[in-house]
Amino acid sequence: MRALVVAALAAVLLAQHTPQPPPEQPIPYSHKKHLSLGLQCKNCHTNPDPGETMGLPATSVCMGCHKTVKAGSAAIQKLARYHAEKTEAPWVRVYQIPSYVFFSHRAHMESGARCQTCHGEVAQRDVLFKETDISMGGCMSCHRLNKASVDCAFCHEPRQ
Ligand code: HEC
Ligand code: HEC
Ligand code: HEC
Ligand code: HEC
Ligand code: HEC
């Protein structure tokens, strides 16, 4: 299985479509900068039960450091304002599939896929953009390579 998933990595990256420009985010958060501090994905993306989503971090996670770190910066003051108002930062989604598609992060992680397989080299990015193909074609080609099902009902509610 693992070897097949590695083969799929090449396939997914090759299936790269025209990369889309990064959306403008409310706060200029950099994955590259924060991962170089030694943080891990799971510090901010927790995959709560039943394991479908990875989630986005609450402002309280950020404020654990930013109450003091760079507290004078305009970007951090904006972050602190969201936190004080008990609202989450309105992050603009980069990878999003329609709600009529079934998808579970946990099932894919358990099959040996890695974050980079589907999201590219996040740790090298200052800003994230949609750089891999998570369209139906992208899902299907990895399923074919890994002998996972490509039945319509596997990923979609059966239609009447
Ligand atoms: C098999 C492909 C695949 C793998 C592997 C994968 N993701 Fe995702 N990820 C997706 C898809 C597809 C979405 C969009 C899900 C949606 O809109 O419901 C997504 C969405 C997300 C989101 C947005 C929040 C959410 O859950 O919808 C985050 C954050 C994320 N992924 C982080 C990660 C991290 C961290 C890892 C590794 C631990 C990872 N992903 C591994 C395909 C993948
Ligand atoms: C483990 C501590 C830690 C956590 C948690 C953390 N940061 Fe940071 N952040 C830092 C440090 C340290 C820097 C300064 C890095 C540098 O410039 O060298 C920084 C820099 C920044 C900057 C740049 C500020 C400026 O004006 O230069 C922004 C914006 C930022 N962080 C946003 C966030 C957000 C949003 C979160 C939560 C999703 C977050 N940070 C979580 C430690 C942290
Ligand atoms: C300090 C907190 C923090 C850490 C650590 C972190 N992220 Fe994130 N992540 C965020 C924030 C904040 C966003 C929303 C802003 C953005 O898209 O850049 C985000 C967004 C994402 C998204 C886009 C989700 C979507 O659909 O909009 C992906 C994919 C992702 N992260 C993957 C990862 C991976 C993989 C790692 C580990 C290599 C990681 N992140 C580590 C805070 C973090
Ligand atoms: C890296 C290769 C890869 C990619 C990309 C991928 N899948 Fe999968 N997927 C698999 C494998 C392998 C399995 C079988 C896991 C198992 O045997 O439990 C699977 C299983 C599934 C399952 C069944 C999960 C469960 O709960 O048992 C669904 C639904 C699914 N994928 C949907 C998708 C969708 C939708 C996408 C695109 C957004 C996608 N997959 C992208 C490899 C992939
Ligand atoms: C491995 C998962 C997977 C399988 C299997 C799958 N789909 Fe999809 N399908 C998706 C994803 C992901 C999207 C959303 C793509 C996007 O973001 O636009 C989608 C979107 C669609 C759409 C709406 C988008 C459009 O192009 O208009 C239709 C219709 C559809 N699928 C039909 C089917 C049929 C029919 C089958 C069986 C032959 C099938 N799907 C099998 C993952 C899958």
Side-chain angles (χ1 to χ4, degrees):
M1 177 66 82
R2 187 164 288 272
L4 288 169
V5 170
V6 171
L9 167 61
V12 171
L13 294 179
L14 282 177
Q16 209 171 44
H17 49 171
T18 323
Q20 293 176 11
E24 192 172 327
Q25 297 290 357
I27 294 167
Y29 169 77
S30 161
H31 276 83
K32 185 177 179 184
K33 196 179 272 179
H34 287 82
L35 290 165
S36 75
L37 298 172
L39 290 169
Q40 294 184 302
C41 311
K42 65 179 178 205
N43 292 129
C44 292
H45 302 297
T46 55
N47 195 222
D49 288 335
E52 289 172 8
T53 67
M54 295 304 304
L56 292 174
T59 52
S60 55
V61 175
C62 316
M63 291 308 286
C65 291
H66 285 294
K67 210 171 275 166
T68 50
V69 176
K70 293 244 169 185
S73 126
I76 299 303
Q77 284 174 357
K78 190 172 181 190
L79 175 69
R81 245 179 347 260
Y82 290 127
H83 185 66
E85 289 162 3
K86 298 191 178 5
T87 51
E88 290 309 327
W91 302 114
V92 181
R93 290 291 308 272
V94 179
Y95 291 90
Q96 190 162 35
I97 55 176
S99 60
Y100 57 78
V101 183
F102 299 135
F103 181 79
S104 162
H105 272 92
R106 196 173 295 167
H108 285 87
M109 300 316 290
E110 283 171 356
S111 81
R114 302 171 62 219
C115 312
Q116 295 95 307
T117 312
C118 297
H119 297 302
E121 294 299 334
V122 171
Q124 309 304 321
R125 302 285 176 257
D126 278 317
V127 288
L128 297 190
F129 57 98
K130 197 171 173 190
E131 56 185 289
T132 55
D133 182 8
I134 56 153
S135 69
M136 179 162 136
C139 312
M140 291 278 229
S141 58
C142 193
H143 277 213
R144 284 204 190 88
L145 268 168
N146 286 283
K147 313 247 180 302
S149 174
V150 290
D151 287 350
C152 313
F154 198 63
C155 299
H156 298 293
E157 210 71 77
R159 297 186 181 206
Q160 278 74 25

